[in-house]
C-alpha cells in the first residue's frame, strides 16, 4: 500500500502562527502553535516558521525535502496565482512579499499554495467540517475582523483572481451615537470582536457625557478604553441593557449584510466561525437567524441554514493542508 506524502499546513495570522504536519486528510501527525510578536514584523514570523518546522521534522523523523507540498492560509489579501502576499493589516513587512517562493527555497517543498486565511478556513469547513455536502457554501470568520469565503463544489471562489466575499468591508446601516441619524460604516467596524468593543467604548463615553456612568467601565479598570467584546458578552448574559443594545446593533448589522449576500449568492448553508461566534446560540446564532428570516429575499427564505463552524482553532491549518493536497495532485 503506497505511503501518503508528508504535507505541511501553515496559518499566518495577526496574533497566531500554527503549523501542522499531515499525511491523511483531517489528521495531524504534528501541530505547533505560537504567538506572533507583531513588533518583529514579517521576518520574525518567517524565523518562527523555520524554527517550528525544524522542531516538527525532528520530532517525527521528517528530512529536509520530505515535505512534498505546503499550503498557507495568510491573514490578509494575497495574489494566489503568484503566491505573493499583498499586505497585512496587523504586521509590517508583508507588502508584495513572495511567500510561495520563500517556502520553496527555505522549507524545501517544490509545491506551494498560498491563499487568504478566511478562504482557507471555508475550504476546510466545506470538506471536513460543518459544510460537507453543501454548495454553495458561505463561510464567515468573525474575530478581530470579519472575513468571508464562498466555496463552490469544494473549491474556493476567487472572483477575478484577488479573492471574493470580502463581506467585512460591506457598508451597513448603523445608528449614530451622536444622534445624527444613520451612518454606514464597514461591517467589521461594528460587528467584529474589535468593532463590538469599539462601539461599547464609544457608548460608555457618550453615556458619561450625558451623566450616566455605565458600570461596564469597571471591567476595564474604570476606564472605557479597557472595555472589550468579551466584557460586553459577559454583561449581556447578566442582562445589562446597554451591553444587549451593543450586541443588538452588531447582530442587526451582520444580519443585514448576510441578507444581501443571500440575495446575491443563494447559499445552501452559512457557517459562522471565529471568536465572536463563541458567544453561542442564545446571544449570537438565534438572534441572527431571526433577523435574517425577517428581512431576507422572500423566495430564498428557508433555502439555507446558519450553523456554527465545526473545526475549532485548527480550521485554517486543516484548510491549508487541503490546499497543499490539491496543489500536489495538480502538479502531476
Amino acid at each position: 500500500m503506497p505511503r501518503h506524502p508528508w504535507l505541511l499546513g501553515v496559518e499566518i495570522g495577526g496574533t497566531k502562527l500554527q503549523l501542522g504536519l499531515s499525511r491523511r486528510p483531517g489528521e495531524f501527525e504534528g501541530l505547533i502553535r505560537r504567538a506572533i510578536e507583531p513588533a518583529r514584523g514579517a521576518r520574525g514570523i518567517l524565523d518562527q516558521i523555520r524554527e517550528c518546522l525544524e522542531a516538527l521534522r525532528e520530532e517525527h523523523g521528517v528530512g529536509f525535502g520530505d515535505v512534498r507540498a505546503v499550503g498557507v492560509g495568510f491573514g490578509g489579501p494575497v495574489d494566489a496565482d503568484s503566491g505573493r502576499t499583498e499586505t497585512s493589516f496587523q504586521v509590517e513587512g508583508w507588502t508584495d512579499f513572495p511567500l510561495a517562493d520563500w517556502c520553496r527555497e527555505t522549507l524545501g517543498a517544490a509545491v506551494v499554495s498560498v491563499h487568504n486565511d478566511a478562504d482557507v478556513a471555508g475550504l476546510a469547513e466545506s470538506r471536513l467540517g460543518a459544510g460537507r455536502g453543501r454548495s454553495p457554501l458561505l463561510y464567515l470568520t468573525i474575530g478581530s475582523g470579519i472575513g468571508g469565503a464562498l466555496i463552490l463544489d469544494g473549491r474556493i471562489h476567487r472572483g477575478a483572481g484577488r479573492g471574493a466575499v470580502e463581506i467585512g468591508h460591506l457598508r451597513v446601516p448603523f445608528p449614530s451615537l451622536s444622534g445624527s441619524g444613520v451612518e454606514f460604516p464597514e461591517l467589521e467596524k461594528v460587528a467584529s470582536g474589535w468593532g463590538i468593543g469599539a462601539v461599547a467604548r464609544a457608548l460608555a463615553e457618550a453615556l458619561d457625557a450625558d451623566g450616566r456612568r455605565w458600570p461596564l467601565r469597571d471591567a476595564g479598570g474604570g476606564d472605557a478604553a479597557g472595555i472589550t467584546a468579551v466584557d460586553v458578552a459577559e454583561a449581556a448574559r447578566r442582562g445589562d441593557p446597554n451591553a444587549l443594545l451593543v450586541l443588538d446593533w452588531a447582530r442587526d448589522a451582520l444580519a443585514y449584510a448576510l441578507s444581501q449576500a443571500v440575495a446575491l449568492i443563494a447559499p445552501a448553508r452559512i457557517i459562522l466561525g471565529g471568536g465572536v461566534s463563541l458567544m453561542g446560540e442564545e446571544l449570537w446564532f438565534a438572534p441572527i437567524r431571526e433577523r435574517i428570516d425577517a428581512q431576507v429575499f422572500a423566495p430564498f427564505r428557508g433555502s439555507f441554514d446558519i450553523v456554527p463552524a465545526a473545526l475549532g482553532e485548527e480550521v485554517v491549518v486543516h484548510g491549508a493542508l487541503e490546499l497543499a493536497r490539491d496543489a500536489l495532485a495538480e502538479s502531476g
Side-chain angles (χ1 to χ4, degrees):
M1 185 174 178
R3 289 175 59 85
H4 293 272
W6 284 104
L7 305 174
L8 177 69
V10 182
E11 175 186 4
I12 302 174
T15 59
K16 178 181 63 180
L17 172 71
Q18 294 191 103
L19 281 76
L21 270 180
S22 176
R23 286 186 287 193
R24 298 177 185 277
E27 297 179 8
F28 295 123
E29 297 202 30
L31 180 69
I32 289 181
R33 181 180 298 127
R34 295 285 186 268
I36 281 172
E37 300 175 36
R40 294 179 62 194
R43 286 296 169 187
I45 295 172
L46 295 173
D47 287 343
Q48 286 181 297
I49 292 172
R50 188 165 43 236
E51 292 161 5
C52 289
L53 180 55
E54 185 57 36
L56 286 171
R57 281 181 175 142
E58 184 174 341
E59 180 180 356
H60 297 279
V62 180
F64 187 85
D66 287 348
V67 173
R68 296 279 307 282
V70 175
V72 182
F74 178 77
V78 305
D79 181 345
D81 289 333
S82 67
R84 301 179 78 92
T85 61
E86 294 190 10
T87 192
S88 166
F89 301 109
Q90 287 88 28
V91 180
E92 296 290 337
W94 288 116
T95 300
D96 195 30
F97 183 80
L99 183 55
D101 289 344
W102 181 88
C103 289
R104 293 184 190 99
E105 295 166 6
T106 309
L107 306 184
V111 177
V112 180
S113 182
V114 179
H115 283 257
N116 169 264
D117 58 352
D119 287 337
V120 171
L123 179 68
E125 288 288 348
S126 76
R127 295 184 181 181
L128 305 169
R132 282 179 290 189
R134 300 298 184 104
S135 181
L137 179 72
L138 178 59
Y139 170 85
L140 268 68
T141 178
I142 309 168
S144 55
I146 297 179
L150 176 61
I151 310 298
L152 303 175
D153 298 324
R155 294 282 178 169
I156 297 168
H157 175 66
R158 293 177 48 229
R162 297 298 176 90
V165 196
E166 286 290 355
I167 195 168
H169 299 286
L170 285 183
R171 298 280 178 172
V172 295
F174 197 79
S176 170
L177 294 182
S178 67
S180 59
V182 177
E183 300 175 345
F184 288 86
E186 292 185 346
L187 176 64
E188 70 177 16
K189 293 188 183 301
V190 296
S192 66
W194 181 90
I196 291 169
V199 170
R201 293 190 291 271
L203 178 60
E205 295 291 359
L207 290 171
D208 257 13
D210 206 24
R212 295 177 290 160
R213 181 180 175 83
W214 187 8
L216 189 63
R217 291 181 68 120
D218 296 335
D223 185 350
I227 297 173
T228 69
V230 173
D231 298 327
V232 173
E234 291 175 352
R237 287 192 182 93
R238 298 193 299 269
D240 183 303
N242 288 317
L244 288 166
L245 180 61
V246 171
L247 286 190
D248 272 342
W249 290 336
R251 296 178 297 210
D252 286 346
L254 184 62
Y256 175 88
L258 285 173
S259 295
Q260 311 315 304
V262 168
L264 292 171
I265 297 168
R269 172 163 285 179
I270 298 171
I271 298 176
L272 303 182
V276 173
S277 295
L278 297 178
M279 289 187 197
E281 181 67 21
E282 183 178 351
L283 281 184
W284 198 242
F285 285 90
I288 288 169
R289 290 190 194 102
E290 290 170 5
R291 285 163 168 80
I292 292 174
D293 191 60
Q295 62 185 289
V296 75
F297 180 52
F300 291 172
R301 187 177 292 125
S303 65
F304 62 93
D305 57 5
I306 302 172
V307 302
L311 295 177
E313 194 170 3
E314 294 83 25
V315 61
V316 175
V317 188
H318 278 299
L321 286 163
E322 290 300 302
L323 285 182
R325 189 166 287 108
D326 288 352
L328 186 60
E330 291 164 8
S331 72

